[in-house]
Amino acid sequence: MVQAFSIPSESMQNALQKGDRVLVDKLTPWFGGEPERGEVIVFHDPDGWLANEPVTEPNSVQRFLSFIGLMPSSEEKDLIKRVIGVPGDTVECNGTGPLKVNGKALDEPYVFPGNTPCSPDEGGGTFKVKVPDGKFWVMGDHRQSSLDSRYHQNDKNAGMVPADEVVGRAIVVAWPPTRWSTLPVPETFDQPGLNAALGATPGVLGLAGAVPLVLWRRRVTARWTDG
């Protein structure tokens, strides 16, 4: 099944640009896989994150495409962010950074140029959280322009994204053609010792995303816009 998602976010620059379309792998979760650290995921609004975003009234063509499943309903709101913390992780930010996971400082070359890894503000930029089972801590790459997990810690999920709200992993920038590229997990999430605090065997958390290309038959097209 192919379905379109409008993703209202500017928070993933430079990995994604406004107007990009990405292919989302929905097959992996059906086989028991879950998001990994470093993956870019599309997820349903967990608890009013986009409550103040305007809803554009669709035209007749858009309503028809929504009816046949090639475009989302105008009521549907989804987001796209990078997974930073998985169940059991401790994630923290102090001052301008660096961002730490399980006590390990992350080298984050994907962070938007001119941004700092952490934001020294009182709204949620300074934090230390432990990710519970079945949930994920997400952050945008455009750190100073992303209302992500940090700024929703007072919601019913404490800023976390529940696993059942995850649509899938964004794997390819498919449009425009000049921007075609894959969205791999950055090497920073492979650094030694990142799993040590969890008592995990290196590589165990990486198995969920190791999906052969032949399993990419079912995809979701996501339109990435602003918001």
Side-chain angles (χ1 to χ4, degrees), residues 5-212:
F5 285 89
S6 295
I7 311 299
S9 177
E10 288 183 342
S11 66
M12 285 303 297
Q13 289 178 294
N14 280 343
L16 296 172
Q17 300 294 331
K18 189 155 70 167
D20 283 355
R21 284 182 178 268
V22 299
L23 297 182
V24 178
D25 174 15
K26 284 188 67 176
L27 193 57
T28 307
W30 299 346
F31 282 85
E34 289 190 340
E36 293 182 53
R37 299 187 203 99
E39 291 183 343
V40 176
I41 61 169
V42 173
F43 56 96
H44 299 313
D45 187 339
D47 187 25
W49 290 23
L50 297 174
N52 297 320
E53 292 296 323
V55 176
T56 304
E57 185 65 26
N59 58 36
S60 58
V61 174
Q62 291 170 327
R63 280 194 290 269
F64 173 73
L65 292 175
S66 175
F67 177 75
I68 63 176
L70 294 179
M71 188 171 179
S73 162
S74 61
E75 304 282 324
E76 189 170 303
K77 293 184 177 182
D78 299 283
L79 300 98
I80 187 165
K81 308 284 183 188
R82 191 179 299 278
V83 176
I84 299 298
V86 298
D89 282 345
T90 297
V91 185
E92 59 186 305
C93 258
N94 240 320
T96 58
L99 174 65
K100 293 182 180 180
V101 176
N102 298 327
K104 290 286 184 178
L106 300 185
D107 175 21
E108 300 185 281
Y110 46 81
V111 168
F112 188 75
N115 278 196
T116 54
C118 297
S119 304
D121 60 64
E122 297 179 357
T126 296
F127 63 88
K128 184 174 183 178
V129 297
K130 184 164 184 177
V131 185
D133 288 344
K135 295 185 179 179
F136 303 90
W137 182 268
V138 299
M139 295 172 69
D141 292 355
H142 200 333
R143 291 287 158 81
Q144 274 77 64
S145 185
S146 178
L147 295 178
D148 45 44
S149 288
R150 296 170 292 172
Y151 301 103
H152 296 281
Q153 295 182 63
N154 292 324
D155 72 10
K156 67 180 182 181
N157 302 302
M160 311 289 175
V161 176
D164 58 7
E165 297 290 356
V166 176
V167 175
R169 175 189 175 186
I171 51 175
V172 173
V173 179
W175 189 266
T178 53
R179 295 235 337 118
W180 193 97
S181 60
T182 58
L183 293 168
V185 174
E187 291 183 359
T188 188
F189 294 94
D190 293 328
Q191 66 174 300
L194 197 59
N195 296 330
L198 302 178
T201 303
V204 167
L205 294 179
L207 293 178
V211 181

